[in-house]
Amino acid sequence: MAISSSVLDRPIGVIGLGNMGLALARRLADSFTVLGSDPSGERQALAAAAGIEVVDQQAVARSCSVVLLSLPRPSISLAVTRALAAGDSTPSVIVETSTVNPSDIADLVGATRDAGIAVIDSAILSGVKQMSDGTSGLLIAGDRSVAEQLDPLFAAVTDNRRIVGESGSAMAAKVLNNAVAHVVMVLLGEALALSKTSGLDPQLLVDILTAPDGGLMRPLTHRIAERAFSGDYEGGMSLEAARKDSTLVLAMAQDAGVPVFTMPAAHGVYEMAMAAGFEREDYAALVKLWEAWCATSFVSIATP
C-alpha cells in the first residue's frame, strides 16, 4: 500500500495515554510533534504535565497522518479504529502497539480497508521503564514498504527494532514470547520450592539454569535451533532417559509435599512421545508430536 512521503511531517497521534502509551508519547515527543488522546481526565493531566498536547480523538484524526494505538483491550482498539476509518478525515497509517492477537490485527485491517488506511503492528517487548529509557525491543510487521517509510518514527522509540514479517506476525511473536515467560515462571516457582526442600541453594540453581548448557538455554539453542530445525534426532539424550528424569522429579515433589503443575503436564507429553515410538531418539523429538497434530514441519535447514 502506497502512502504519502510526507506522513511524518504532520503531528503524530497517540491514542491511549496509560502507563505505556504516555511513555511512548514522551519518547516520540523528543523528535516529533505529538498529539495525545485519552478519555481519562487523570491521564490527560499527566500527559499535559509531561509536555504532550492533549486533544480529543477527532482532532487526532484531523491533524495526524500516523496514529499509534496503546489501548487496554483488543475490542477498544477495534472500536477506535472503526471510528477513525469512518470519519471525514482519516489517518494514512494506524500503528497498533497494544498487545493483541494476530486475528485482532486482521480485524483492524478489515476495518480500514475501504478507507485506504494502512495498518502496522508494532509489538513492544519491554516494560514502561525500558520504553522511557529508549531500550525497548520493537517488533514491526505489515506492509514492508510502509514499515520502512515509518522507520524514523520507530527509531525515535528505540535502536532495538526489526521488521519481522507479514501483518500480525509481530503480535504473534510478542504473545508467544510472553506465554513462554509466563509458563517458565510457574515452572521456576516449582523448581525453587524443590530446591529449598532438598537443601539446594536456590542461587546455585539459578547459576546452573542460566549456563549455556543449563536447563533454560540448552533446550532452545540446541534442541530447537539445532535439532528440530534440521530434523536431526539421532544420538543425544534419549527421550526414554528424559522420561525417566521426569518421573524422578515427580517423585521428588511427592516426597517433599511440593505442589507442582507444569511438571506433571509436561510428563504427559513424554508419555505420548514414548507411545509414538520416539523413545530412542533425542528428546527433542517431542516436537514431532506437534508436527503431526498440526500437519506441519519445523525443519528449516536443508539436510543432506
Side-chain angles (χ1 to χ4, degrees):
M1 178 181 292
I3 60 173
S4 170
S5 59
S6 62
V7 291
L8 297 181
D9 294 339
R10 302 178 70 192
I12 304 300
V14 177
I15 297 179
L17 299 172
N19 291 338
M20 182 61 79
L22 182 53
L24 175 62
R26 293 180 69 175
R27 288 295 307 170
L28 292 170
D30 288 339
S31 303
F32 300 92
T33 298
V34 175
L35 304 183
S37 179
D38 194 287
S40 164
E42 178 184 359
R43 300 311 300 180
Q44 291 173 16
L46 288 171
I52 304 299
E53 182 179 351
V54 179
V55 299
D56 61 26
Q57 188 172 299
Q58 291 73 25
V60 169
R62 288 194 303 268
S63 303
C64 304
S65 293
V66 179
V67 176
L68 290 82
L69 306 182
S70 181
L71 298 164
R73 293 191 299 277
S75 60
I76 298 176
S77 286
L78 182 57
V80 168
T81 296
R82 283 173 171 163
L84 291 173
D88 294 332
S89 297
T90 61
S92 298
V93 186
I94 292 175
V95 179
E96 174 63 284
T97 72
S98 325
T99 301
V100 301
N101 266 326
S103 60
D104 298 312
I105 296 296
D107 288 341
L108 299 191
V109 171
T112 57
R113 186 175 291 113
D114 291 343
I117 302 172
V119 173
I120 296 291
D121 50 308
S122 181
I124 301 169
L125 297 181
S126 70
V128 173
K129 184 180 186 303
Q130 290 86 351
M131 174 58 69
S132 298
D133 292 343
T135 59
S136 293
L138 205 61
L139 303 179
I140 303 156
D143 188 307
R144 190 176 189 91
S145 64
V146 175
E148 290 175 345
Q149 197 168 332
L150 296 181
D151 190 61
L153 179 84
F154 299 128
V157 176
T158 180
D159 290 334
N160 182 16
R161 63 193 187 280
R162 57 176 166 169
I163 299 173
V164 297
E166 297 180 355
S167 182
S169 59
M171 289 303 167
K174 178 171 184 178
V175 170
L176 290 172
N177 178 76
N178 289 1
V180 170
H182 300 161
V183 171
V184 167
M185 192 63 221
V186 177
L187 179 58
L188 290 176
E190 296 173 0
L192 184 66
L194 285 169
S195 73
K196 291 290 287 185
T197 57
S198 63
L200 173 66
D201 180 359
Q203 182 59 56
L204 179 58
L205 177 64
V206 170
D207 295 341
I208 292 169
L209 288 174
T210 54
D213 59 350
L216 279 178
M217 295 306 299
R218 184 71 170 168
L220 181 63
T221 59
H222 173 61
R223 294 203 148 75
I224 296 297
E226 295 178 6
R227 286 190 174 275
F229 288 173
S230 65
D232 176 16
Y233 303 110
E234 293 295 323
M237 181 177 184
S238 71
L239 189 138
E240 186 175 33
R243 174 191 171 278
K244 180 206 73 175
D245 288 355
S246 178
T247 302
L248 289 175
V249 78
L250 293 181
M252 181 179 175
Q254 185 173 26
D255 291 344
V258 173
V260 290
F261 305 91
T262 58
M263 293 176 183
H267 183 80
V269 180
Y270 282 91
E271 295 290 1
M272 285 186 276
M274 288 285 292
F278 303 157
E279 66 272 10
R280 301 310 304 160
E281 298 181 78
D282 183 275
Y283 74 89
L286 273 178
V287 302
K288 294 201 293 184
L289 292 173
W290 280 274
E291 288 182 321
W293 292 331
C294 301
T296 190
S297 172
F298 302 139
V299 176
S300 59
I301 302 171
T303 54

